[in-house]
């Protein structure tokens, strides 16, 4: 489903990622780990094509980083859900509207939007927070809103960049359990983190370790 | 349908959400439209005034004393056929004497025992021929007619008028162009600020797979609404100012502003257009 083929993406002074060769299949749970600056975020950005490799290529289903056109990128993004450490929710609208936005952008019908949004909010345990603004929610709740927003359009893979970065250990574990539950339903999940304690929480997850832009071990 | 309704609502809500920066854009657009609106009326009335002065230009054609009544009648018919001529007055020697008395207060027959004043025609030209080149060309033709003794017109009047009219025209057009340009830049920049304040929407939209068009449309709708509202404010203020001028200061300045409803409609269209163009220009920058 996702393949990196000799992919290189470097910024100035050699920083970046080099010679990446790996594949991720449908429904897998993958941890990307490594010290700060190793290139975890860079790999995720290559997957949702916010960055492009200057050498080699990245394939996501039918999307080829060397062939994709600018106006096709939104269609890739509809297949790839993303969540971040800093949530990136819109503060001027409530939970429902934040999640529904993703469906409006993908041209769903009003009736379908409503049932899907309520359904997904219940799944992430936010059925009682529908009309709250992001500022009225805890960090863990906000992160669950972003998960709902990423999942509502039924992506093939969910990318999470340091999703527990701003959460306390207990909430972090809840969150990783939620991601595990989502993965069990069939969505591939890729989590970039340097929090090794999370990894043990998902038995059977694959582990890709990166250091200074290169893969040093892969399971 | 869902999508269009959503985008329209987004644009409308955006206007409300943007609060100060949205209000600021509306004010900027209102100021721009007022500049252009007042600029237009001032330019139009200045040029109209100059044209009025020009309309006073006429040529006196003095007929030879030796010309017979038939000669004069034939010449009169010839003048009437010339389509450059707008207006034509025949002044007989008797009328000339009367005019002389009116102007100088003395009867010509008290000074001389005969009437030395020749018959004459006073002609004025249609607007497009009221310029030096046409007037001189026509004068040459008329001068060659055997009944014509002499042609008199104020050549300097035309030369000066043409010089000033050109200066006025270019100044007015220049100011107008600058005002329009300023309003486009002001509008586009203030809308850019509105968008800048909400860049998070754009990056989030990109993240969730919105197309550029989907991201753009609400901002363009918002900008267009701002344009419409701004020009509405401007039109109301201009209407008020013209009303004040015509009701309270009319006699003071000896000037009445006359504009039709079409003028206000044009301002509204212009403002809406400005908001539309401005927001399209502005959003483009943020979609790289
Ligand atoms: N836009 C950029 N311009 C220049 N260098 C960059 C840019 N983005 C990342 N880098 C560099 O690329 C390397 C990898 O960065 P990346 O963000 O992928 O690391 P990371 O593993 O996600 O780190 P962290 O755990 O701190 O998030 C770093 O050395 C970083 O400085
Ligand atoms: Mg990172």
């Amino acid at each position: 489903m996702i393949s990196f083929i000799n992919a290189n993406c470097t910024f100035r002074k050699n920083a970046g990622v080099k010679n990446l060769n790996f594949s991720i299949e449908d429904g897998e749970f993958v941890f990307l780990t490594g010290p700060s600056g190793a290139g975890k975020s860079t790999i995720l950005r290559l997957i949702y094509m916010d960055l492009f490799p200057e050498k080699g290529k990245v394939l996501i289903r039918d999307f080829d980083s060397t062939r994709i056109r600018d106006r096709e990128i939104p269609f890739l993004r509809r297949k790839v859900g993303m969540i971040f450490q800093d949530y990136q929710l819109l503060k001027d609208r409530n939970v429902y509207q934040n999640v529904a936005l993703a469906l409006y952008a993908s041209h769903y019908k009003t009736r379908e939007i409503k049932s899907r949004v309520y359904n997904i909010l219940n799944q992430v345990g936010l059925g009682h927070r529908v009309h709250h603004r992001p500022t009225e929610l805890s960090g863990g709740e906000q992160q669950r809103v972003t998960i709902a927003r990423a999942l509502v359009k039924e992506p093939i893979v969910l990318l999470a960049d340091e999703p527990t970065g701003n959460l306390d250990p207990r909430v972090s574990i809840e969150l990783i359990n939620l991601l595990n539950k989502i993965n069990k339903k069939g969505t591939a999940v890729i989590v970039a983190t340097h929090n090794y304690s999370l990894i043990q929480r998902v038995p059977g997850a694959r582990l890709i370790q990166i250091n200074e832009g290169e893969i040093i071990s892969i399971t | 349908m869902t999508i269009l309704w959503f985008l329209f609502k987004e644009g409308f809500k955006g206007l409300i959400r943007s609060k100060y920066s949205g209000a600021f854009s509306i004010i900027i657009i209102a100021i721009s439209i007022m500049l252009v609106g007042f600029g237009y009326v001032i330019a139009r009335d200045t040029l109209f005034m100059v044209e009025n002065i020009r309309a006073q230009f006429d040529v006196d054609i003095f007929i030879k004393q030796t010309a017979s009544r038939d000669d004069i009648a034939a010449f009169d018919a010839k003048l009437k056929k010339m389509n450059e001529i707008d207006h034509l007055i025949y002044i007989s020697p008797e009328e000339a004497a009367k005019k002389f008395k009116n102007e100088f207060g003395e009867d010509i027959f008290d000074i001389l025992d005969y009437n030395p004043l020749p018959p004459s025609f006073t002609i004025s030209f249609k607007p497009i021929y009221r310029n030096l080149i046409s007037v001189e060309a026509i004068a040459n033709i008329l001068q060659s007619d055997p009944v014509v003794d002499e042609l008199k017109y104020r050549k300097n009047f035309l030369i000066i008028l043409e010089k000033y009219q050109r200066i006025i025209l270019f100044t007015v057009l220049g100011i107008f162009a600058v005002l329009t340009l300023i309003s486009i830049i002001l509008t586009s920049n203030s809308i850019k600020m509105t968008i800048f304040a909400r860049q998070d929407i754009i990056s989030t939209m990109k993240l969730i797979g919105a197309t550029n068009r989907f991201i753009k449309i609400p901002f363009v709708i918002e900008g267009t609404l701002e344009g419409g509202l701004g020009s509405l404010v401007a039109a109301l203020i201009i209407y008020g100012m013209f009303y004040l001028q015509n009701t309270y200061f009319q006699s003071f300045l000896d000037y009445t502003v006359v504009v039709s409803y079409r003028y206000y409609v044009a301002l509204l269209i212009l403002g809406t257009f400005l908001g539309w163009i401005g927001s399209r220009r502005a959003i483009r920058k943020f979609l790289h």
Side-chain angles (χ1 to χ4, degrees), chain B residues 91-164:
Chain B
I91 299 164
S92 65
E94 297 76 45
E95 283 167 323
K98 227 182 277 169
K99 231 170 106 184
F100 183 89
K101 197 179 169 188
N102 280 343
E103 273 173 38
F104 300 103
E106 256 181 292
D107 200 326
I108 189 92
F109 295 105
D110 291 349
I111 307 166
L112 298 164
D113 50 5
Y114 69 100
N115 184 354
L117 299 169
S120 68
F121 287 92
T122 299
I123 57 174
S124 63
F125 296 95
K126 289 193 177 142
I128 50 165
Y129 299 108
R130 285 176 203 154
N131 58 67
L132 197 59
I133 296 173
S134 308
V135 168
E136 284 194 318
I138 299 163
N140 277 336
I141 295 168
L142 295 175
Q143 185 72 70
S144 64
D145 194 288
V147 301
V148 172
D149 182 25
E150 198 184 4
L151 255 83
K152 282 207 171 125
Y153 57 93
R154 287 178 294 163
K155 191 173 173 175
N156 274 342
F157 172 84
L158 272 189
I159 292 174
I160 291 170
L161 196 69
E162 273 174 26
K163 195 173 114 192
Y164 282 112

